Amino acid sequence: KAGVTQTPRYLIKTRGQQVTLSCSPISGHRSVSWYQQTPGQGLQFLFEYFSETQRNKGNFPGRFSGRQFSNSRSEMNVSTLELGDSALYLCANLTGAGYTFGSGTRLTVV
Amino acid sequence: AQSVAQPEDQVNVAEGNPLTVKCTYSVSGNPYLFWYVQYPNRGLQFLLKYITGDNLVKGSYGFEAEFNKSQTSFHLKKPSALVSDSALYFCAVRDREYGNKLVFGAGTILRVKS
Protein backbone atom coordinates (compact mmCIF):
# COMPACT_ATOMS: atom_id res chain seq x y z
CA LYS A 1 0.00 0.00 0.00
CA ALA A 2 1.60 3.28 -1.09
CA GLY A 3 2.18 5.94 1.53
CA VAL A 4 1.57 9.65 1.36
CA THR A 5 3.33 11.14 -1.65
CA GLN A 6 4.42 14.75 -1.81
CA THR A 7 5.81 16.45 -4.86
CA PRO A 8 8.14 18.03 -5.53
CA ARG A 9 10.68 17.18 -2.83
CA TYR A 10 12.62 20.40 -3.25
CA LEU A 11 11.78 23.82 -4.64
CA ILE A 12 13.65 27.08 -4.94
CA LYS A 13 11.57 30.17 -5.65
CA THR A 14 12.15 33.89 -5.73
CA ARG A 15 10.40 36.40 -3.50
CA GLY A 16 7.13 37.51 -4.97
CA GLN A 17 6.55 34.34 -6.95
CA GLN A 18 3.88 31.79 -6.19
CA VAL A 19 4.21 28.07 -5.62
CA THR A 20 1.97 25.00 -5.67
CA LEU A 21 2.72 21.88 -3.69
CA SER A 22 0.99 18.54 -4.17
CA CYS A 23 -0.01 15.72 -1.83
CA SER A 24 -1.44 12.35 -2.79
CA PRO A 25 -2.89 10.54 0.23
CA ILE A 26 -3.18 6.83 0.83
CA SER A 27 -5.90 5.39 -1.34
CA GLY A 28 -9.29 5.50 0.33
CA HIS A 29 -8.36 7.99 3.06
CA ARG A 30 -9.86 11.37 2.46
CA SER A 31 -8.64 13.55 5.33
CA VAL A 32 -5.57 15.57 4.35
CA SER A 33 -3.84 18.12 6.55
CA TRP A 34 -0.92 20.43 5.82
CA TYR A 35 1.76 21.59 8.24
CA GLN A 36 4.61 24.05 8.00
CA GLN A 37 7.87 23.25 9.77
CA THR A 38 10.45 25.94 10.44
CA PRO A 39 13.34 26.09 12.92
CA GLY A 40 11.82 29.09 14.67
CA GLN A 41 8.15 28.20 14.84
CA GLY A 42 8.30 24.42 14.79
CA LEU A 43 5.40 22.47 13.32
CA GLN A 44 2.31 24.55 12.66
CA PHE A 45 -1.06 23.51 11.29
CA LEU A 46 -2.02 25.13 8.00
CA PHE A 47 -5.35 23.54 7.04
CA GLU A 48 -7.32 20.33 6.77
CA TYR A 49 -9.40 19.05 3.88
CA PHE A 50 -11.97 16.29 3.80
CA SER A 51 -14.06 15.34 0.79
CA GLU A 52 -12.98 18.48 -1.09
CA THR A 53 -14.04 20.78 1.77
CA GLN A 54 -11.76 22.78 4.01
CA ARG A 55 -12.64 21.84 7.56
CA ASN A 56 -10.18 23.90 9.51
CA LYS A 57 -7.57 26.55 8.89
CA GLY A 58 -4.61 27.56 11.00
CA ASN A 59 -3.40 31.04 11.74
CA PHE A 60 -1.73 31.86 8.43
CA PRO A 61 -2.26 34.80 6.09
CA GLY A 62 -4.55 34.55 3.09
CA ARG A 63 -1.53 34.02 0.82
CA PHE A 64 -1.70 30.41 1.94
CA SER A 65 -4.50 28.47 0.34
CA GLY A 66 -5.36 24.93 -0.55
CA ARG A 67 -7.81 22.67 -2.22
CA GLN A 68 -8.70 19.02 -2.52
CA PHE A 69 -9.81 17.15 -5.58
CA SER A 70 -12.39 14.40 -5.95
CA ASN A 71 -9.64 11.76 -5.87
CA SER A 72 -8.53 13.18 -2.49
CA ARG A 73 -5.30 14.60 -3.85
CA SER A 74 -4.62 17.97 -2.30
CA GLU A 75 -2.64 21.01 -3.32
CA MET A 76 -1.53 23.99 -1.34
CA ASN A 77 -0.61 27.29 -2.88
CA VAL A 78 1.44 30.15 -1.51
CA SER A 79 1.26 33.44 -3.40
CA THR A 80 3.59 36.41 -3.20
CA LEU A 81 6.32 34.40 -1.53
CA GLU A 82 8.31 35.91 1.31
CA LEU A 83 11.68 34.83 2.66
CA GLY A 84 9.95 33.63 5.82
CA ASP A 85 7.94 31.10 3.84
CA SER A 86 11.07 28.99 3.50
CA ALA A 87 10.16 25.80 5.30
CA LEU A 88 9.46 22.11 5.08
CA TYR A 89 5.81 21.63 4.16
CA LEU A 90 4.33 18.37 5.34
CA CYS A 91 1.15 16.67 4.32
CA ALA A 92 -0.61 14.28 6.71
CA ASN A 93 -3.28 11.73 5.97
CA LEU A 94 -5.58 10.47 8.70
CA THR A 95 -6.01 6.70 8.63
CA GLY A 96 -7.35 4.23 11.16
CA ALA A 97 -3.89 3.88 12.67
CA GLY A 98 -3.41 7.59 13.08
CA TYR A 99 -1.72 10.24 11.01
CA THR A 100 0.67 9.24 8.22
CA PHE A 101 2.99 11.93 6.95
CA GLY A 102 4.61 12.38 3.61
CA SER A 103 8.32 13.13 3.24
CA GLY A 104 7.59 16.78 2.73
CA THR A 105 8.47 19.50 0.25
CA ARG A 106 11.45 21.67 1.15
CA LEU A 107 10.72 25.19 -0.11
CA THR A 108 13.50 27.73 -0.22
CA VAL A 109 12.63 31.33 -1.04
CA VAL A 110 15.52 33.49 -2.20
CA ALA B 1 -6.66 25.11 23.64
CA GLN B 2 -4.78 21.85 23.69
CA SER B 3 -1.01 21.96 24.04
CA VAL B 4 2.01 19.80 24.70
CA ALA B 5 5.39 20.70 26.11
CA GLN B 6 8.71 19.00 25.66
CA PRO B 7 10.91 20.45 28.38
CA GLU B 8 14.24 19.22 27.01
CA ASP B 9 15.75 20.56 23.80
CA GLN B 10 18.22 17.68 23.75
CA VAL B 11 18.72 14.37 25.47
CA ASN B 12 22.04 12.56 25.42
CA VAL B 13 22.35 8.88 26.25
CA ALA B 14 24.94 6.17 25.81
CA GLU B 15 24.18 3.25 23.54
CA GLY B 16 22.66 0.38 25.48
CA ASN B 17 21.32 2.62 28.25
CA PRO B 18 17.62 3.30 28.75
CA LEU B 19 16.28 6.53 27.31
CA THR B 20 13.40 8.82 28.23
CA VAL B 21 12.09 11.76 26.24
CA LYS B 22 9.64 13.84 28.23
CA CYS B 23 6.28 15.27 27.24
CA THR B 24 3.56 16.94 29.27
CA TYR B 25 0.16 17.90 27.98
CA SER B 26 -2.65 20.31 28.68
CA VAL B 27 -6.03 19.35 27.27
CA SER B 28 -9.69 19.58 28.03
CA GLY B 29 -11.26 16.16 28.12
CA ASN B 30 -9.50 12.92 27.31
CA PRO B 31 -6.30 13.39 25.33
CA TYR B 32 -5.32 11.75 22.07
CA LEU B 33 -1.52 11.72 22.26
CA PHE B 34 1.12 10.78 19.73
CA TRP B 35 4.87 10.41 19.36
CA TYR B 36 6.64 10.92 16.06
CA VAL B 37 10.28 10.71 15.02
CA GLN B 38 11.94 12.74 12.28
CA TYR B 39 15.24 12.01 10.57
CA PRO B 40 17.07 14.76 8.67
CA ASN B 41 15.22 16.03 5.60
CA ARG B 42 12.45 13.51 6.10
CA GLY B 43 8.82 13.57 7.13
CA LEU B 44 7.47 12.41 10.45
CA GLN B 45 7.35 8.71 11.24
CA PHE B 46 4.65 7.46 13.60
CA LEU B 47 5.92 5.73 16.73
CA LEU B 48 2.87 5.25 18.92
CA LYS B 49 -0.38 6.74 20.13
CA TYR B 50 -2.56 6.81 23.21
CA ILE B 51 -6.30 7.15 22.88
CA THR B 52 -7.69 5.09 25.69
CA GLY B 53 -6.94 1.89 27.56
CA ASP B 54 -3.67 0.72 29.04
CA ASN B 55 -1.41 3.45 30.34
CA LEU B 56 1.66 1.74 28.87
CA VAL B 57 1.59 1.96 25.10
CA LYS B 58 3.95 -0.08 22.97
CA GLY B 59 5.03 1.24 19.62
CA SER B 60 7.44 0.84 16.74
CA TYR B 61 11.18 0.12 16.97
CA GLY B 62 11.01 -0.96 20.61
CA PHE B 63 9.66 2.34 21.90
CA GLU B 64 6.93 2.64 24.48
CA ALA B 65 5.24 5.49 26.29
CA GLU B 66 3.62 5.79 29.66
CA PHE B 67 0.45 7.83 29.99
CA ASN B 68 0.13 9.40 33.43
CA LYS B 69 -3.11 11.26 33.94
CA SER B 70 -2.29 12.67 37.38
CA GLN B 71 0.99 14.13 36.14
CA THR B 72 -0.41 14.96 32.68
CA SER B 73 2.63 13.34 31.14
CA PHE B 74 3.27 11.04 28.21
CA HIS B 75 6.98 10.23 28.31
CA LEU B 76 8.62 8.20 25.56
CA LYS B 77 10.91 5.39 26.66
CA LYS B 78 13.13 2.67 25.35
CA PRO B 79 14.97 0.11 27.49
CA SER B 80 18.15 0.06 25.42
CA ALA B 81 19.11 2.91 23.11
CA LEU B 82 20.69 2.44 19.70
CA VAL B 83 22.89 4.90 17.83
CA SER B 84 20.32 4.72 15.04
CA ASP B 85 17.69 6.13 17.43
CA SER B 86 19.44 9.50 17.17
CA ALA B 87 16.83 11.82 15.66
CA LEU B 88 14.30 14.55 16.45
CA TYR B 89 11.28 13.42 18.47
CA PHE B 90 7.92 15.15 18.61
CA CYS B 91 5.07 14.73 21.02
CA ALA B 92 1.64 15.78 19.70
CA VAL B 93 -1.95 16.03 20.82
CA ARG B 94 -5.05 16.06 18.69
CA ASP B 95 -6.90 19.32 19.15
CA ARG B 96 -10.48 18.12 18.94
CA GLU B 97 -11.84 21.66 18.87
CA TYR B 98 -10.32 21.81 15.38
CA GLY B 99 -11.23 18.47 13.87
CA ASN B 100 -8.13 16.47 13.14
CA LYS B 101 -5.57 19.16 13.85
CA LEU B 102 -2.41 18.04 15.62
CA VAL B 103 -0.62 20.36 18.02
CA PHE B 104 3.08 19.56 18.34
CA GLY B 105 5.66 20.13 20.98
CA ALA B 106 8.86 21.93 20.06
CA GLY B 107 10.73 18.66 19.62
CA THR B 108 13.59 16.98 21.45
CA ILE B 109 16.86 16.02 19.80
CA LEU B 110 18.00 12.60 20.95
CA ARG B 111 21.69 11.84 20.63
CA VAL B 112 22.83 8.30 21.32
CA LYS B 113 26.59 7.90 21.57
CA SER B 114 28.46 4.66 21.10
Side-chain angles (χ1 to χ4, degrees):
Chain A
K1 191 174 184 180
V4 178
T5 303
Q6 290 189 247
T7 57
R9 287 296 311 277
Y10 302 93
L11 266 177
I12 300 176
K13 290 286 187 179
T14 305
R15 271 183 303 174
Q17 287 186 314
Q18 73 159 11
V19 68
T20 299
L21 313 181
S22 178
C23 171
S24 294
I26 298 168
S27 177
H29 297 281
R30 294 175 290 168
S31 172
V32 174
S33 302
W34 289 88
Y35 293 81
Q36 181 196 63
Q37 185 179 19
T38 60
Q41 299 298 316
L43 280 154
Q44 293 189 291
F45 172 78
L46 280 158
F47 23 66
E48 180 198 0
Y49 286 87
F50 185 85
S51 293
E52 303 177 64
T53 300
Q54 186 181 90
R55 296 177 74 176
N56 291 292
K57 184 171 167 52
N59 189 25
F60 279 83
R63 300 185 297 107
F64 291 81
S65 63
R67 58 178 175 170
Q68 187 178 35
F69 301 94
S70 59
N71 62 357
S72 295
R73 188 176 72 85
S74 177
E75 289 181 346
M76 67 163 282
N77 184 279
V78 188
S79 62
T80 319
L81 283 165
E82 301 177 359
L83 295 179
D85 298 333
S86 294
L88 180 66
Y89 290 88
L90 293 165
C91 170
N93 188 205
L94 180 61
T95 68
Y99 299 81
T100 301
F101 283 80
S103 295
T105 294
R106 170 76 64 186
L107 172 65
T108 302
V109 183
V110 297
Chain B
Q2 328 281 29
S3 66
V4 291
Q6 295 179 243
E8 303 155 316
D9 291 336
Q10 184 167 318
V11 169
N12 298 308
V13 64
E15 188 176 31
N17 283 1
L19 69 87
T20 299
V21 183
K22 295 180 181 177
C23 173
T24 59
Y25 64 88
S26 174
V27 302
S28 54
N30 294 321
Y32 285 17
L33 295 160
F34 302 82
W35 275 102
Y36 285 88
V37 60
Q38 186 178 38
Y39 295 96
N41 294 316
R42 300 299 300 274
L44 303 178
Q45 293 182 28
F46 172 79
L47 285 177
L48 49 82
K49 66 180 178 183
Y50 172 84
I51 295 177
T52 188
D54 290 340
N55 290 341
L56 185 63
V57 180
K58 293 193 181 295
S60 306
Y61 313 118
F63 284 94
E64 57 189 28
E66 186 173 6
F67 174 72
N68 188 315
K69 188 171 183 178
S70 62
Q71 297 185 5
T72 62
S73 66
F74 189 56
H75 300 334
L76 181 70
K77 302 185 179 192
K78 188 174 182 181
S80 179
L82 300 172
V83 172
S84 57
D85 293 331
S86 299
L88 179 58
Y89 289 79
F90 289 99
C91 179
V93 65
R94 178 182 166 189
D95 188 341
R96 289 181 290 172
E97 295 177 18
Y98 289 92
N100 296 315
K101 172 185 173 183
L102 285 175
V103 176
F104 287 89
T108 299
I109 297 170
L110 173 66
R111 295 199 192 280
V112 182
K113 295 187 178 180
S114 59

Short mmCIF file of all heavy atoms in Angstrom, two decimals, chain A residues 11 20 25 28 36 39 46 51-52 55 62 70 72 76 83 99 103 108 110:
data_model
loop_
_atom_site.label_atom_id
_atom_site.label_comp_id
_atom_site.label_asym_id
_atom_site.label_seq_id
_atom_site.Cartn_x
_atom_site.Cartn_y
_atom_site.Cartn_z
N LEU A 11 12.14 22.70 -3.79
CA LEU A 11 11.78 23.82 -4.64
C LEU A 11 12.58 25.04 -4.23
O LEU A 11 12.72 25.31 -3.03
CB LEU A 11 10.30 24.17 -4.46
CG LEU A 11 9.26 23.57 -5.39
CD1 LEU A 11 7.87 24.03 -4.96
CD2 LEU A 11 9.52 23.98 -6.83
N THR A 20 3.00 26.00 -5.93
CA THR A 20 1.97 25.00 -5.67
C THR A 20 2.63 23.69 -5.30
O THR A 20 3.52 23.22 -6.00
CB THR A 20 1.07 24.78 -6.90
OG1 THR A 20 0.43 26.02 -7.23
CG2 THR A 20 0.01 23.74 -6.62
N PRO A 25 -2.75 11.35 -0.98
CA PRO A 25 -2.89 10.54 0.23
C PRO A 25 -2.96 9.05 -0.08
O PRO A 25 -3.00 8.66 -1.24
CB PRO A 25 -4.22 11.04 0.81
CG PRO A 25 -5.00 11.47 -0.38
CD PRO A 25 -4.00 12.02 -1.35
N GLY A 28 -8.13 5.75 -0.51
CA GLY A 28 -9.29 5.50 0.33
C GLY A 28 -9.37 6.35 1.59
O GLY A 28 -10.36 6.26 2.31
N GLN A 36 3.38 23.36 8.33
CA GLN A 36 4.61 24.05 8.00
C GLN A 36 5.61 23.81 9.12
O GLN A 36 5.26 23.95 10.30
CB GLN A 36 4.37 25.56 7.86
CG GLN A 36 5.60 26.35 7.48
CD GLN A 36 5.42 27.84 7.73
OE1 GLN A 36 5.23 28.27 8.87
NE2 GLN A 36 5.49 28.64 6.67
N PRO A 39 12.54 26.17 11.69
CA PRO A 39 13.34 26.09 12.92
C PRO A 39 12.81 27.00 14.03
O PRO A 39 12.86 26.63 15.20
CB PRO A 39 14.73 26.54 12.45
CG PRO A 39 14.75 26.25 10.99
CD PRO A 39 13.36 26.50 10.51
N LEU A 46 -1.58 24.20 9.04
CA LEU A 46 -2.02 25.13 8.00
C LEU A 46 -3.52 24.99 7.73
O LEU A 46 -4.28 25.93 7.88
CB LEU A 46 -1.25 24.88 6.72
CG LEU A 46 0.15 25.49 6.66
CD1 LEU A 46 1.00 24.76 5.65
CD2 LEU A 46 0.06 26.97 6.31
N SER A 51 -13.06 15.39 1.87
CA SER A 51 -14.06 15.34 0.79
C SER A 51 -14.19 16.69 0.09
O SER A 51 -15.30 17.21 -0.07
CB SER A 51 -15.42 14.88 1.33
OG SER A 51 -15.36 13.54 1.75
N GLU A 52 -13.07 17.25 -0.28
CA GLU A 52 -12.98 18.48 -1.09
C GLU A 52 -13.40 19.74 -0.33
O GLU A 52 -13.51 20.81 -0.93
CB GLU A 52 -13.82 18.34 -2.37
CG GLU A 52 -13.43 17.14 -3.23
CD GLU A 52 -14.31 16.99 -4.45
OE1 GLU A 52 -14.29 17.90 -5.31
OE2 GLU A 52 -15.03 15.97 -4.54
N ARG A 55 -11.97 21.98 6.26
CA ARG A 55 -12.64 21.84 7.56
C ARG A 55 -12.09 22.79 8.60
O ARG A 55 -12.82 23.28 9.46
CB ARG A 55 -12.48 20.41 8.06
CG ARG A 55 -13.15 19.37 7.19
CD ARG A 55 -12.90 17.98 7.70
NE ARG A 55 -13.67 17.69 8.91
CZ ARG A 55 -13.68 16.52 9.51
NH1 ARG A 55 -12.96 15.52 9.04
NH2 ARG A 55 -14.40 16.29 10.58
N GLY A 62 -3.77 35.01 4.24
CA GLY A 62 -4.55 34.55 3.09
C GLY A 62 -3.70 34.14 1.89
O GLY A 62 -4.22 33.53 0.96
N SER A 70 -11.47 15.52 -6.20
CA SER A 70 -12.39 14.40 -5.95
C SER A 70 -11.66 13.09 -5.70
O SER A 70 -12.21 12.18 -5.08
CB SER A 70 -13.37 14.24 -7.12
OG SER A 70 -12.65 14.01 -8.32
N SER A 72 -9.14 12.89 -3.79
CA SER A 72 -8.53 13.18 -2.49
C SER A 72 -7.15 13.80 -2.56
O SER A 72 -6.62 14.21 -1.53
CB SER A 72 -8.47 11.94 -1.58
OG SER A 72 -9.77 11.51 -1.26
N MET A 76 -1.55 22.72 -2.06
CA MET A 76 -1.53 23.99 -1.34
C MET A 76 -0.76 25.00 -2.18
O MET A 76 0.17 24.65 -2.92
CB MET A 76 -0.93 23.87 0.06
CG MET A 76 0.52 23.54 0.15
SD MET A 76 1.17 23.91 1.80
CE MET A 76 1.35 25.69 1.70
N LEU A 83 10.54 35.62 2.19
CA LEU A 83 11.68 34.83 2.66
C LEU A 83 11.27 33.91 3.81
O LEU A 83 11.73 32.77 3.91
CB LEU A 83 12.82 35.74 3.09
CG LEU A 83 13.47 36.58 2.00
CD1 LEU A 83 14.58 37.45 2.60
CD2 LEU A 83 14.04 35.71 0.89
N TYR A 99 -2.08 9.30 12.07
CA TYR A 99 -1.72 10.24 11.01
C TYR A 99 -0.45 9.75 10.32
O TYR A 99 0.57 9.55 10.97
CB TYR A 99 -1.45 11.63 11.61
CG TYR A 99 -2.64 12.23 12.31
CD1 TYR A 99 -2.96 11.86 13.61
CD2 TYR A 99 -3.44 13.18 11.69
CE1 TYR A 99 -4.05 12.40 14.26
CE2 TYR A 99 -4.53 13.75 12.35
CZ TYR A 99 -4.82 13.34 13.63
OH TYR A 99 -5.90 13.88 14.27
N SER A 103 6.93 12.74 3.00
CA SER A 103 8.32 13.13 3.24
C SER A 103 8.53 14.63 3.20
O SER A 103 9.59 15.12 3.58
CB SER A 103 9.24 12.45 2.23
OG SER A 103 9.22 11.05 2.42
N THR A 108 12.53 26.69 -0.54
CA THR A 108 13.50 27.73 -0.22
C THR A 108 13.13 28.96 -1.05
O THR A 108 13.02 28.88 -2.27
CB THR A 108 14.93 27.30 -0.55
OG1 THR A 108 15.23 26.11 0.19
CG2 THR A 108 15.93 28.39 -0.18
N VAL A 110 14.30 32.68 -2.16
CA VAL A 110 15.52 33.49 -2.20
C VAL A 110 15.22 34.89 -2.74
O VAL A 110 14.16 35.10 -3.34
CB VAL A 110 16.60 32.82 -3.08
CG1 VAL A 110 17.00 31.49 -2.47
CG2 VAL A 110 16.10 32.64 -4.50
#
